[in-house]
Amino acid sequence: MGEDELIEKVKGVLSPERLAHTLGVVQTARKLSARYGSDPEKAVTAALLHDIAREHDRNTLLQMVRNFGIIIDEVSAAQTELLHQLVGAELAGRDFGITDPAILNAIRVHTTGSVQMSLLDKIIYLADFIEPGRDFPGVESIRQKAWENLDEGLFAATVNTLKHLLEKGRLIHASTVALYNELQLSKSCQE
Ligand code: DGI
Ligand code: FE
Ligand code: FE
């Protein structure tokens, strides 16, 4: 499927607001992949598909988790918004014919992040965070860092997420914590 064909198909599953966000992620992912020397085609495909499961309600997502045989942990089961990364990767394969594991993994970890993220995983995670439609406090500084140094951008985004989750009293997924620790460890090694 070419990019235009993918866009047409994605339009069918996203609300206008989510589509605008998705196209922002595509634009940012394209720029980040040029900046950091990643395959732009893979970045565009992963960006286009990253939120294809985002519009489904909790029951539908849980049903899909069962049907796809996805094994989920307690925290993902309790927090609906953590399910769409897992279901999204399966739908990208089933409905959009994506077989490239690099693209599927970037979708699968785009919300929580994970340890040992690939360049593509990091680009999608960050593009999702800083696309032009995002306007939360602190986004400008994360944008700047993401452009200067990918891992510093990633660290800033992860810290922002953790603070936000703590403030709201939400559950924190183990992958979010693991990413934070990994980045913090590599920072302290450099000091
Ligand atoms: O799908 P989007 O809204 O574009 O963005 P996303 O896939 O990054 O999902 C964002 C939401 O996921 C945001 O409200 C923060 C939340 N999130 C990220 N990590 C965790 C988390 N929520 C919980 N409960 N725990 C996490 O570790
Ligand atoms: Fe998402
Ligand atoms: Fe998103």
Side-chain angles (χ1 to χ4, degrees):
M1 225 184 282
E3 190 179 325
D4 291 341
E5 212 182 326
L6 265 182
I7 293 176
E8 280 313 305
K9 203 165 168 187
V10 165
K11 279 183 184 167
V13 296
L14 297 181
S15 66
E17 297 74 29
R18 189 74 57 192
L19 180 67
H21 159 69
T22 292
L23 296 177
V25 178
V26 169
Q27 187 194 345
T28 306
R30 211 193 291 275
K31 284 192 196 159
L32 286 172
S33 45
R35 166 74 179 84
Y36 293 106
S38 179
D39 180 335
E41 219 172 293
K42 290 189 191 204
V44 166
T45 304
L48 265 176
L49 298 177
H50 84 283
D51 270 342
I52 47 173
R54 187 71 158 113
E55 314 272 359
H56 296 304
D57 63 22
R58 177 172 174 75
N59 284 339
T60 309
L61 283 169
L62 285 171
Q63 191 60 50
M64 288 175 158
V65 161
R66 272 191 293 275
N67 291 347
F68 282 120
I70 306 170
I71 294 162
I72 55 170
D73 54 78
E74 229 178 12
V75 173
S76 294
Q79 301 280 312
T80 306
E81 53 193 9
L82 297 180
L83 296 173
H84 79 282
Q85 57 176 354
L86 308 174
V87 173
E90 300 296 330
L91 293 177
R94 191 192 71 183
D95 297 344
F96 293 81
I98 306 298
T99 53
D100 185 335
I103 295 174
L104 297 175
N105 200 62
I107 299 170
R108 191 174 292 114
V109 302
H110 85 266
T111 305
T112 56
S114 74
V115 289
Q116 303 198 355
M117 290 170 86
S118 69
L119 180 55
L120 181 64
D121 296 341
K122 293 175 182 180
I123 285 174
I124 298 304
Y125 179 97
L126 267 177
D128 190 19
F129 228 86
I130 63 169
E131 61 94 1
R134 299 287 200 202
D135 66 351
F136 57 87
V139 69
E140 207 40 64
S141 133
I142 300 173
R143 278 193 185 111
Q144 207 172 328
K145 290 196 173 96
W147 191 249
E148 284 163 9
N149 179 306
L150 195 65
D151 280 342
E152 279 181 22
L154 190 62
F155 184 72
T158 307
V159 168
N160 185 290
T161 298
L162 286 169
K163 282 184 182 163
H164 173 81
L165 293 170
L166 283 172
E167 270 163 24
K168 300 268 167 194
R170 310 287 292 279
L171 292 168
I172 299 175
H173 193 269
S175 297
T176 310
V177 178
L179 170 61
Y180 169 81
N181 284 339
E182 184 186 63
L183 294 168
Q184 186 64 281
L185 273 170
S186 73
K187 277 164 85 88
S188 44
C189 288
Q190 284 159 18
E191 273 163 15

